[in-house]
Amino acid sequence: MDLKQVHNVYFIGVGGIGMSALARYFKFINKNVAGYDKTETPLTKDLQNLGITIHYEDDKKNIATEYLDASKTLIVYTPAVPTSHEEYQYFLNNGFAIKKRSEVLGLITKDTFCFAVAGTHGKTTTSSILAHLLKETGTPITAFLGGISEDFNSNFLLEGVDYSVVEADEFDRSFLQLSPNVSCITSMDADHLDIYGTEKELQNSFNDFAKRLKPNGKLFVRNGLPINGITYGIEDDSDFCIRNLKIEHGAYIFDLGTPDTLITGVTFNKPGRHNLLNGLVAFAMAIQAGSPADRLARALGTFKGVQRRFSYQIKNKNLIYIDDYAHHPTEINAVNNAVYEMHPNKKVVAVFQPHLFSRTKDFVEDFAESLSKFDSILLLDIYPAREKPIHGVTSEWLLGKIKNPNKKLINKTNILSEIKEQNPEVLVTMGAGDIGLEVQKIKKELQDAD
C-alpha cells in the first residue's frame, strides 16, 4: 500500500496511546484524520485540539462523508476493538483498506533507519530515552511512543524522517510487522498468555522478531536473556556495562563501558535499576546513528522521564507520591526495589489496580508475593479492559493470597480517605487501567491537606 495515495485516515480506537501517536503523525503530514473511541479522555481531548474529529458512539452516521470513500481512505484499528464493532464491520464489508496499527507503523518506517524497542517491560521508557538522546544530538527522527514523554510533553516527535523510533509490541505478535535496522529486547517474562498460551510460545515470538532485522542490523539484549545479541548490563561482563555505580542526591552516578571506550562520571536521574538498564540500551542503540558517545552520555543526564513511569507527583519532606504503570509482577518488583533504594526507612503504602482477569489468573501467586513486599497494600477491583470476567478471579481472591496483614480491598470512590487513613510517608499508585485518571485528584487532595 502506498500511503502517499491516502487522503483520509480513520481510526477505530483513536484514544489508545499508540493509536493517538499515529493520528498525530498523519495530521502532521496533512492527511484528513478522524476517529472513534469508547470514552473521552485527556488524550482524545488533545487530539481534538489538533483539529481531529472524534466521536464516542459506535454508529456509521457519525462518520463524515469524506471518510466513506474507500478509494481514498485508510482505516486503522486496534485489536482491543471487538470484531463485532458496527463501524469496523461496515468498513470490512465495503472494500476499505483496513490495517492494524502495527502494520501501518511497518509501512511508515520501512524506508527509514528504524530503531525498534521490544520487551515485555521497559519499551516505553527505553524508546522515550532513545528519542530524547537522538533529538539532543540533532538526529532527524520521527518517534512513536507508548507514553507521554516529559521531555516533549507528547507521545509523538517529528524532527525529521531519516530515522524512526518505534515500540515493538509483542501483544498479538504485532512486532513481526517491523523490519528494523537496530532493535533491542529488554525482557522476555511470561505475559499475554491469553494470546500465546505458553511462555515458550512467547519466547519463540521474540526469536522471530530478532530475525526481522534488516541485513547488517544489530540486536541488543539484556544480559542473561536466552537470545543472542550485543549484551548490556550492570556490573557484569556485558558489551555495554555500567560500572562503579553509586547514588548521590537521588541520582545515579556511574562509569559507562562500551566495546571501544569508558565514559566516567555519567549521571542518570530516573530511580530504579530497571530504568538505568533502559537508559543504557537506549545509549547503545543511539550510537548506531553515528552520534558521539560523550554527547549521548551527557544527554542521559537531562532525560526527564515518562508520565506514569515512576513519576514523582509529590516530593517533599513530609510525603513522596509516585505513580507508575506497573501491571505485571516483575514491574511491581522493579518499582518496589526503586522505592526502597531511593527512600529507605520510610513507610511505603501501595495502591494497586490489577489489569485483566487473565493476567491476574495467570500470575496470582507472583502478584501476591510482589505486593506483600510493601509496608501496606490497598487493592482495587480488577480493571477488565478488553476482557469478560473469569469465574473466581477477583481482587478479593488475590487479596487472600497476599501474605501481609496490612492489606485492604477498597474501591475508587473512597480511595482518598483510605490513603489518608494509612498516613504514608511514601505513596505509590500502580496499574495500567483507569487508576491513571485518579492520579491528579489524589495529588491535589494530598497537596491541599499538606
Side-chain angles (χ1 to χ4, degrees):
M1 182 180 201
D2 186 357
L3 293 177
K4 292 177 183 176
Q5 304 305 314
V6 172
H7 294 270
N8 314 308
V9 187
Y10 186 84
F11 288 83
I12 304 177
V14 69
I17 191 72
M19 292 280 277
S20 63
L22 268 184
R24 288 174 186 271
Y25 168 78
F26 282 115
K27 186 68 177 175
F28 267 72
I29 62 171
N30 298 314
K31 305 292 186 185
N32 299 318
V33 181
Y36 156 88
D37 211 284
K38 190 175 182 180
T39 54
E40 185 178 57
T41 66
L43 272 177
T44 60
K45 290 177 183 176
D46 287 345
L47 294 178
Q48 287 172 305
N49 289 337
L50 291 175
I52 295 172
T53 302
I54 300 173
H55 62 266
Y56 303 95
E57 181 187 2
D58 175 19
D59 193 327
K60 174 179 163 285
K61 74 174 189 294
N62 294 320
I63 304 171
T65 305
E66 62 196 302
Y67 297 94
L68 300 178
D69 182 347
S71 66
K72 297 180 179 178
T73 304
L74 169 65
I75 309 301
V76 186
Y77 76 101
T78 169
V81 171
T83 54
S84 59
H85 191 273
E86 182 181 318
E87 293 179 18
Y88 173 81
Q89 283 296 324
Y90 170 79
F91 293 124
L92 187 67
N93 295 324
N94 285 276
F96 284 78
I98 305 177
K99 294 192 178 296
K100 291 182 184 179
R101 168 182 162 269
S102 55
E103 294 177 280
V104 178
L105 272 180
L107 289 171
I108 292 170
T109 60
K110 68 182 176 64
D111 295 324
T112 70
F113 188 100
C114 179
F115 294 93
V117 178
T120 44
H121 325 292
K123 290 186 291 295
T124 296
T125 301
T126 302
S127 56
S128 297
I129 299 171
L130 177 56
H132 169 71
L133 298 183
L134 292 171
K135 180 179 184 293
E136 290 296 295
T137 51
T139 307
I141 64 161
T142 301
F144 301 90
L145 308 175
I148 305 299
S149 163
E150 293 176 356
D151 292 276
F152 331 128
N153 196 32
S154 179
N155 56 346
F156 174 66
L157 178 68
L158 182 58
E159 296 282 309
V161 296
D162 296 345
Y163 296 82
S164 60
V165 174
V166 298
E167 292 188 26
D169 190 0
E170 75 281 359
F171 176 73
D172 79 348
R173 298 174 173 83
S174 290
F175 57 3
L176 300 184
Q177 302 290 337
L178 301 170
S179 298
N181 298 82
V182 178
S183 60
C184 77
I185 298 175
T186 63
S187 49
M188 292 166 56
D189 293 308
D191 200 5
H192 304 302
L193 298 186
D194 54 323
I195 301 294
Y196 287 97
T198 66
E199 183 176 4
K200 180 65 176 172
E201 274 304 303
L202 176 69
Q203 291 182 350
N204 289 341
S205 194
F206 276 102
N207 277 291
D208 291 339
F209 169 71
K211 296 171 187 173
R212 298 286 304 171
L213 278 172
K214 290 176 183 172
N216 302 315
K218 291 186 178 179
L219 171 66
F220 293 85
V221 298
R222 181 171 56 79
N223 200 353
L225 291 181
I227 195 164
N228 293 325
I230 303 167
T231 57
Y232 66 98
I234 299 175
E235 304 286 6
D236 57 20
D237 60 350
S238 298
D239 300 306
F240 286 81
C241 187
I242 286 171
R243 301 193 179 100
N244 303 318
L245 178 63
K246 55 188 177 182
I247 298 173
E248 291 183 4
H249 309 296
Y252 290 115
I253 310 293
F254 54 93
D255 299 335
L256 201 166
T258 80
D260 304 312
T261 188
L262 179 70
I263 305 169
T264 58
V266 181
T267 300
F268 189 69
N269 292 300
K270 289 302 294 180
R273 297 193 176 208
H274 61 299
N275 282 323
L276 194 54
L277 285 166
N278 294 336
L280 175 59
V281 71
F283 168 90
M285 295 173 77
I287 285 178
Q288 311 311 310
S291 301
D294 57 339
R295 284 184 64 190
L296 290 170
R298 286 197 299 274
L300 275 174
T302 61
F303 174 68
K304 293 178 183 176
V306 183
Q307 289 181 16
R308 302 219 63 225
R309 269 52 173 201
F310 210 92
S311 298
Y312 281 99
Q313 303 297 317
I314 299 173
K315 193 175 185 180
N316 59 44
K317 60 182 172 55
N318 297 320
L319 177 66
I320 306 292
Y321 173 26
I322 298 159
D323 177 52
D324 197 276
Y325 192 69
H327 55 283
H328 185 281
T330 300
E331 295 165 349
I332 295 171
N333 285 331
V335 170
N336 182 279
N337 291 337
V339 168
Y340 286 100
E341 181 178 52
M342 290 297 176
H343 306 289
N345 306 314
K346 291 185 179 292
K347 179 186 177 182
V348 181
V349 176
V351 181
F352 178 59
Q353 182 188 48
H355 184 261
L356 297 180
F357 295 103
S358 59
R359 183 181 283 122
T360 305
K361 175 177 174 286
D362 290 335
F363 304 110
V364 65
E365 301 294 344
D366 295 325
F367 274 122
E369 184 179 346
S370 300
L371 292 168
S372 295
K373 296 175 183 176
F374 293 95
D375 295 308
S376 185
I377 307 101
L378 299 176
L379 193 63
L380 290 163
D381 284 334
I382 297 170
Y383 184 77
R386 59 187 180 269
E387 292 186 335
K388 299 234 184 311
I390 298 173
H391 180 70
V393 179
T394 64
S395 285
E396 189 173 10
W397 176 55
L398 170 57
L399 189 78
K401 292 181 174 290
I402 295 174
K403 293 184 172 72
N404 182 333
N406 302 314
K407 60 183 179 179
K408 188 174 183 181
L409 187 63
I410 66 170
N411 59 61
K412 281 188 297 182
T413 57
N414 63 356
I415 190 171
L416 289 165
S417 60
E418 295 287 357
I419 288 169
K420 287 180 179 179
E421 188 176 315
Q422 293 288 327
N423 194 27
E425 293 177 280
V426 179
L427 172 67
V428 183
T429 50
M430 297 179 292
D434 59 5
I435 189 173
L437 300 177
E438 303 297 315
V439 172
Q440 290 306 311
K441 301 177 202 171
I442 296 169
K443 178 180 178 179
K444 183 178 186 305
E445 185 79 13
L446 294 178
Q447 282 178 327
D448 291 346
D450 191 16

